[in-house]
Coordinates of all heavy atoms in Angstrom, one line a residue:
Y1 N 42.9 -1.5 35.3 CA 42.6 -0.1 35.9 C 41.6 0.7 35.2 O 41.4 1.8 35.6 CB 44.0 0.6 35.9 CG 45.2 -0.1 36.6 CD1 46.3 -0.4 35.8 CD2 45.1 -0.4 37.9 CE1 47.3 -1.0 36.4 CE2 46.1 -1.1 38.5 CZ 47.3 -1.5 37.8 OH 48.3 -2.1 38.4
S2 N 40.9 0.2 34.2 CA 39.8 0.9 33.6 C 38.5 0.7 34.3 O 38.3 -0.4 34.9 CB 39.7 0.5 32.1 OG 40.8 0.8 31.4
R3 N 37.6 1.7 34.4 CA 36.4 1.5 35.1 C 35.3 1.6 34.1 O 34.1 1.3 34.5 CB 36.2 2.7 36.1 CG 37.3 2.7 37.2 CD 37.1 3.8 38.1 NE 35.9 3.6 38.9 CZ 35.8 2.9 40.0 NH1 36.8 2.2 40.4 NH2 34.7 2.7 40.6
Y4 N 35.5 2.0 32.8 CA 34.4 2.0 31.9 C 34.9 1.3 30.5 O 36.1 1.3 30.2 CB 34.0 3.4 31.5 CG 33.4 4.1 32.7 CD1 34.4 5.1 33.4 CD2 32.2 4.1 33.2 CE1 34.0 5.8 34.5 CE2 31.8 4.7 34.3 CZ 32.6 5.6 34.9 OH 32.2 6.3 36.0
E5 N 33.9 0.8 29.8 CA 34.3 0.3 28.5 C 34.8 1.5 27.6 O 34.3 2.6 27.8 CB 33.1 -0.3 27.8 CG 32.6 -1.6 28.4 CD 31.5 -2.3 27.6 OE1 30.9 -1.6 26.7 OE2 31.2 -3.5 27.9
P6 N 35.7 1.3 26.6 CA 36.2 2.3 25.8 C 35.2 3.2 25.2 O 35.3 4.4 25.0 CB 37.1 1.6 24.8 CG 37.5 0.3 25.5 CD 36.3 0.0 26.3
Q7 N 34.1 2.6 24.7 CA 33.0 3.2 24.0 C 32.3 4.2 25.0 O 32.0 5.4 24.6 CB 32.0 2.3 23.4 CG 32.5 1.4 22.3 CD 33.1 0.2 22.8 OE1 33.5 0.0 24.0 NE2 33.2 -0.9 22.0
V8 N 32.1 3.8 26.2 CA 31.6 4.7 27.2 C 32.5 5.8 27.6 O 32.0 7.0 27.6 CB 31.2 3.9 28.5 CG1 30.7 4.8 29.6 CG2 30.2 2.8 28.2
A9 N 33.7 5.6 27.8 CA 34.7 6.6 28.1 C 34.8 7.6 27.0 O 34.8 8.8 27.1 CB 36.1 6.0 28.3
Q10 N 34.8 7.2 25.7 CA 34.8 8.0 24.5 C 33.5 8.9 24.5 O 33.6 10.1 24.2 CB 34.9 7.2 23.2 CG 35.0 8.1 22.0 CD 35.2 7.3 20.7 OE1 35.4 6.1 20.8 NE2 35.2 8.0 19.6
G11 N 32.4 8.3 24.7 CA 31.2 9.1 24.8 C 31.1 10.1 25.8 O 30.7 11.3 25.4
L12 N 31.7 9.8 27.0 CA 31.7 10.9 28.0 C 32.6 12.0 27.7 O 32.3 13.2 27.9 CB 32.2 10.3 29.3 CG 31.2 9.2 30.0 CD1 31.8 8.6 31.3 CD2 29.9 9.8 30.3
T13 N 33.8 11.7 27.2 CA 34.7 12.8 26.7 C 34.2 13.6 25.6 O 34.4 14.9 25.6 CB 36.1 12.2 26.3 OG1 36.0 11.2 25.3 CG2 36.7 11.5 27.5
E14 N 33.5 13.0 24.7 CA 32.9 13.7 23.5 C 31.9 14.7 24.1 O 31.7 15.8 23.6 CB 32.3 12.9 22.5 CG 33.4 12.1 21.7 CD 32.9 11.2 20.7 OE1 31.5 11.1 20.6 OE2 33.6 10.5 19.9
M15 N 31.1 14.3 25.1 CA 30.1 15.2 25.7 C 30.9 16.4 26.4 O 30.4 17.6 26.2 CB 29.3 14.5 26.7 CG 28.2 13.6 26.1 SD 27.0 13.0 27.3 CE 27.9 11.7 28.1
F16 N 31.9 16.2 27.0 CA 32.7 17.3 27.6 C 33.2 18.2 26.5 O 33.1 19.5 26.7 CB 33.9 16.8 28.4 CG 33.5 16.2 29.7 CD1 33.7 14.8 30.1 CD2 32.8 16.9 30.7 CE1 33.4 14.3 31.3 CE2 32.4 16.3 31.9 CZ 32.8 15.0 32.2
V17 N 33.8 17.7 25.4 CA 34.3 18.5 24.3 C 33.1 19.4 23.7 O 33.4 20.5 23.3 CB 34.9 17.7 23.3 CG1 35.3 18.4 22.0 CG2 36.2 17.1 23.8
A18 N 32.0 18.8 23.6 CA 30.8 19.5 23.1 C 30.3 20.6 24.0 O 29.3 21.3 23.6 CB 29.7 18.5 22.8
G19 N 30.8 20.7 25.2 CA 30.4 21.7 26.1 C 29.3 21.4 27.1 O 28.8 22.2 27.7
V20 N 29.0 20.1 27.2 CA 28.0 19.6 28.1 C 28.6 19.7 29.5 O 29.6 19.4 29.8 CB 27.5 18.2 27.9 CG1 26.5 17.7 28.9 CG2 27.0 18.1 26.5
S21 N 27.7 20.3 30.5 CA 28.3 20.5 31.8 C 28.5 19.1 32.6 O 28.0 18.0 32.1 CB 27.3 21.2 32.6 OG 26.1 20.5 32.9
T22 N 29.3 19.1 33.6 CA 29.7 17.9 34.3 C 28.4 17.3 34.9 O 28.2 16.1 34.9 CB 30.7 18.2 35.5 OG1 31.8 18.8 34.9 CG2 31.0 17.0 36.2
H23 N 27.6 18.2 35.4 CA 26.3 17.7 35.9 C 25.4 16.9 35.0 O 24.9 15.9 35.2 CB 25.4 18.9 36.5 CG 24.1 18.5 37.1 ND1 24.1 17.8 38.3 CD2 22.9 18.8 36.7 CE1 22.7 17.5 38.6 NE2 22.0 18.2 37.6
K24 N 25.3 17.5 33.7 CA 24.5 16.9 32.6 C 25.2 15.5 32.2 O 24.4 14.6 31.9 CB 24.4 17.8 31.4 CG 23.5 19.0 31.7 CD 22.1 18.7 31.7 CE 21.2 19.9 31.9 NZ 19.8 19.6 32.1
V25 N 26.5 15.5 32.2 CA 27.1 14.3 31.7 C 26.9 13.2 32.8 O 26.6 12.0 32.5 CB 28.7 14.5 31.7 CG1 29.4 13.1 31.5 CG2 29.1 15.4 30.5
G26 N 26.9 13.7 34.1 CA 26.6 12.7 35.1 C 25.1 12.1 35.1 O 24.9 10.9 35.2

C-alpha cells in the first residue's frame, strides 16, 4: 500500500514540517 520509498516519504514530510508550501513540495 505504499506509493513512495520511505526515504522519499520522509523527505516530503520534512519539507512540510519546515514550512514549505504544498505547491513547492510538489
Side-chain angles (χ1 to χ4, degrees):
Y1 307 117
S2 295
R3 300 183 64 85
Y4 301 100
E5 291 184 350
Q7 295 88 340
V8 174
Q10 181 179 356
L12 294 176
T13 56
E14 288 180 356
M15 281 191 283
F16 286 120
V17 172
V20 180
S21 68
T22 302
H23 179 70
K24 290 291 185 182
V25 171

